[in-house]
Amino acid sequence: MNMHPVMLMMLANQRQRDLADEADRHRVLNGAREARKARRGRKARAVRGQPTGSLTSCDPSAAVPAR
């Protein structure tokens, strides 16, 4: 099957654009996954090592009225 050289060039260019679009999608999705992992990791680190609330002091605290 013979194709016109212009048609072959158009198909090759379209394939290159498709591959570039797919690579962009992968980069965006991977970036979102990494950001999600980072957010999840920050939250876990912020809570780790903190008292749970059952260890609060027994001293009465004075409430200060807001202005």
Side-chain angles (χ1 to χ4, degrees):
M1 176 171 127
N2 291 333
M3 291 188 76
H4 195 274
V6 174
M7 287 295 292
L8 285 174
M9 189 58 93
M10 287 173 57
L11 286 173
N13 287 341
Q14 182 61 42
R15 178 68 179 150
Q16 288 296 320
R17 284 190 295 270
D18 291 344
L19 289 173
D21 289 341
E22 186 177 348
D24 287 341
R25 273 193 302 273
H26 282 288
R27 271 194 296 275
V28 168
L29 288 175
N30 286 338
R33 284 186 194 114
E34 291 299 320
R36 185 176 177 192
K37 284 181 186 178
R39 281 194 310 269
R40 187 179 301 150
R42 276 197 311 263
K43 287 180 185 175
R45 267 187 265 124
V47 174
R48 195 174 297 143
Q50 299 284 328
T52 59
S54 61
L55 302 174
T56 59
S57 69
C58 297
D59 296 330
S61 60
V64 178
R67 291 183 180 180

